[in-house]
Amino acid sequence: MSSYADTSFLVSLYGRDANSGAAITLVSARRPVFMVTPFGEAEFTSIVFAVCGRPRGWTVTEAKAIEQDLARDLQAGVWQSEDWQAETWARAQELARRHAPTLSCRALDTLHVASALLLEADDFYTFDRDQAKLARVAGMRVLGC
């Protein structure tokens, strides 16, 4: 069984935030194998470093450690690295055409859900409520939200 974790879930799993406890509990209980794309890695890095300097954020040193922890787990095979599929763009546009009028989903939401669908993930892990709605209407089982 394979799973897709969006960035909100990965940041909660590796960093410390309001959802970290729930992320750790879900991963401990379900033992998913997350598929991570270069897009997911890039967004993870962007978010981890954007939190630096915010109230209750982490330091640059902590952000580097969080980024290294994910990279180490990917290298060790804890999570599965997957290539970005060219069809992701077209699938994201299709999702936007079908669901944005009612769900107001954003481009990043459609890209994550499109990636998960094309990678044939069994589960979609997220703490982003809007993204969870999109994943559900796209037929995915959502955990976290």
Side-chain angles (χ1 to χ4, degrees):
M1 185 180 285
S2 59
S3 301
Y4 187 92
D6 82 331
T7 311
S8 69
F9 193 89
L10 290 174
V11 169
S12 292
L13 186 62
Y14 283 90
R16 56 174 159 65
D17 64 18
N19 294 315
S20 292
I24 292 165
T25 298
L26 272 169
V27 169
S28 296
R30 298 188 60 91
R31 304 263 185 227
V33 176
F34 291 131
M35 295 181 287
V36 180
T37 65
F39 160 66
E41 287 182 71
E43 190 184 24
F44 178 87
T45 297
S46 176
I47 290 171
V48 165
F49 282 91
V51 172
C52 296
R54 289 185 186 172
R56 298 186 188 159
W58 39 73
T59 66
V60 171
T61 301
E62 290 170 319
K64 287 178 183 177
I66 292 166
E67 181 186 35
Q68 288 170 353
D69 287 345
L70 176 64
R72 193 173 11 259
D73 283 350
L74 283 166
Q75 270 189 321
V78 173
W79 312 133
Q80 186 175 329
S81 261
E82 292 289 343
D83 286 334
W84 180 266
Q85 297 184 24
E87 303 88 44
T88 305
W89 299 106
R91 182 64 69 93
Q93 286 178 303
E94 176 189 326
L95 288 167
R97 281 187 210 100
R98 291 175 77 196
H99 303 294
T102 55
L103 299 179
S104 300
C105 46
R106 300 162 299 169
L108 293 179
D109 297 337
T110 63
L111 287 168
H112 277 295
V113 173
S115 292
L117 289 168
L118 290 169
L119 292 170
E120 299 178 353
D122 297 303
D123 299 316
F124 190 89
Y125 287 71
T126 185
F127 289 116
D128 182 320
R129 293 189 192 290
D130 293 331
Q131 195 162 250
K133 289 177 193 173
L134 177 61
R136 283 188 186 101
V137 300
M140 302 200 74
R141 180 177 40 216
V142 176
L143 292 105
C145 257

